[in-house]
Amino acid sequence: GKKQIEQQMLDRVIQDLFRRNIRTGKAFFDYAQQQVNRLVPAGQSLLKSIAPVMTIYKEVRSLFYSIETTGARNPIVMDFIGELRQSLASLMPDNFIELYSMDRLPDLVRYIKALIIRAERGRADMDKDIKKAVSIKPFIDSLGEMISSLEPTTSLEKREAIEAFFWMIEEFKVSQFAQELKTPYPVSAKKLKHQVSQI
């Protein structure tokens, strides 16, 4: 909802500008004074980064709804859309504005575009989509196991490796379902297997 997005944007701007290790009252007020004129530009910059994500998010949800409506009696279509909705939810958790760096947002747009392409192609040829999805499932399962095994004592290095693996899977999905969107680096099942063994 609009209010939730606005609140997250406000929280993000405050966090980016004011989350600092400041030890004295004077240092606090000096720093706060320096940041006053940066508040509005920081908010505008954040909005500029988030707007394309929200636009493509609305587009993909409308497409999912349209496919569900036309294929409502077909359990294969419903499973397909269910899987795509799950992928979208993992890309766009409720706190995505606070969670992702600004550098990650253009990738988010590309990943959601890949979901749109996959949905449209899958609607036309479900068998082809199922075959491609089979090659990705073991890595999604491995990711789920890794995430569920995280503990408070898990090292930062391992957490970062798991996060990198998550994004590698997203790039692999692009390479499988929407090659025309291109990936910034080559990704393959072999590389994903290597990443699993490293983690």
Side-chain angles (χ1 to χ4, degrees):
K2 184 182 173 188
K3 284 193 193 275
Q4 185 182 358
I5 294 291
E6 287 172 352
Q7 186 61 52
Q8 281 192 40
M9 286 180 63
L10 177 61
D11 292 344
R12 177 62 188 259
V13 168
I14 289 170
Q15 177 180 305
D16 287 352
L17 294 182
F18 296 103
R19 192 173 189 176
R20 299 289 184 274
N21 187 6
I22 296 175
R23 300 295 181 142
T24 68
K26 182 181 182 324
F28 172 82
F29 286 110
D30 288 349
Y31 184 79
Q33 190 59 43
Q34 293 166 18
Q35 301 308 311
V36 165
N37 293 332
R38 294 186 62 205
L39 275 170
V40 172
Q44 290 170 333
S45 175
L46 181 60
L47 179 60
K48 191 175 177 182
S49 297
I50 288 169
V53 178
M54 297 309 296
T55 300
I56 198 85
Y57 179 75
K58 183 179 177 186
E59 186 180 332
V60 75
R61 286 184 48 129
S62 296
L63 176 62
F64 291 170
Y65 179 75
S66 167
I67 294 171
E68 279 175 330
T69 304
T70 55
R73 295 179 189 272
N74 186 334
I76 295 169
V77 172
M78 297 310 285
D79 286 348
F80 171 63
I81 291 299
E83 182 189 335
L84 296 186
R85 282 192 184 278
Q86 197 171 358
S87 291
L88 181 63
S90 71
L91 281 172
M92 294 269 298
D94 289 343
N95 64 338
F96 84 97
I97 293 172
E98 297 167 67
L99 189 64
Y100 297 142
S101 69
M102 292 302 100
D103 295 341
R104 181 59 67 190
L105 295 179
D107 289 329
L108 207 54
V109 171
R110 189 166 49 86
Y111 300 144
I112 296 171
K113 278 183 183 172
L115 277 176
I116 289 172
I117 292 169
R118 181 181 176 189
E120 289 170 341
R121 288 180 179 161
R123 176 166 54 177
D125 189 345
M126 195 66 68
D127 289 339
K128 195 172 181 181
D129 183 90
I130 290 167
K131 284 175 190 167
K132 288 181 178 181
V134 165
S135 69
I136 295 167
K137 189 175 185 318
F139 304 114
I140 294 171
D141 292 345
S142 292
L143 178 67
E145 289 168 19
M146 290 174 194
I147 291 170
S148 64
S149 72
L150 288 172
E151 297 176 353
T153 56
T154 302
S155 69
L156 179 62
E157 182 184 17
K158 184 171 183 179
R159 289 175 187 276
E160 287 174 348
I162 292 170
E163 182 182 354
F165 182 58
F166 172 85
W167 296 119
M168 281 180 75
I169 292 171
E170 291 305 318
E171 294 296 347
F172 190 53
K173 288 178 186 177
V174 171
S175 74
Q176 293 297 300
F177 296 108
Q179 300 89 340
E180 64 268 40
L181 297 180
K182 303 195 180 346
T183 59
Y185 53 86
V187 63
S188 63
K190 185 178 178 182
K191 287 189 176 187
L192 287 167
K193 283 176 189 170
H194 177 71
Q195 185 76 354
V196 169
S197 66
Q198 290 292 103
I199 294 169

